[in-house]
Amino acid sequence: MAKVTVRYWAAAKAAAGVAEEPYEAATLADALGSVRERHPGELTRVLLRCSFLVDGDPVGTRGHETVRLAEGGTVEVLPPFAGG
């Protein structure tokens, strides 16, 4: 398991009540499962609309269980942004 930082932006940050927090997880799916356990409710709903960056790289349509996390890495949680 890797120690990673999950950073929340915009609506995800508001729903989590924090800007970032540490997790231990092997994959993005594991990390997001832990996020849902820690923050049931609004953040779980917000996550359904989010895109994710892992160490600066977009996850895109890859299965979250296939995205491995590196020790000291960062997961960015990005809700859809308004504007143009």
Side-chain angles (χ1 to χ4, degrees):
M1 294 253 236
K3 292 180 183 177
V4 299
T5 299
V6 176
R7 290 188 182 142
Y8 305 106
W9 297 96
K13 181 178 174 182
V18 295
E20 63 181 49
E21 55 193 357
Y23 285 92
E24 289 192 20
T27 66
L28 178 58
D30 295 338
L32 294 177
S34 295
V35 167
R36 288 181 187 98
E37 285 178 18
R38 190 178 290 178
H39 301 282
E42 183 60 24
L43 182 56
T44 298
R45 290 185 287 281
V46 171
L47 290 175
L48 296 172
R49 300 184 315 259
C50 289
S51 58
F52 304 95
L53 300 177
V54 174
D55 297 330
D57 294 324
V59 170
T61 59
R62 290 182 286 161
H64 295 168
E65 68 282 351
T66 68
V67 180
R68 306 289 304 168
L69 301 178
E71 183 70 25
T74 302
V75 174
E76 308 276 351
V77 179
L78 305 168
F81 292 93

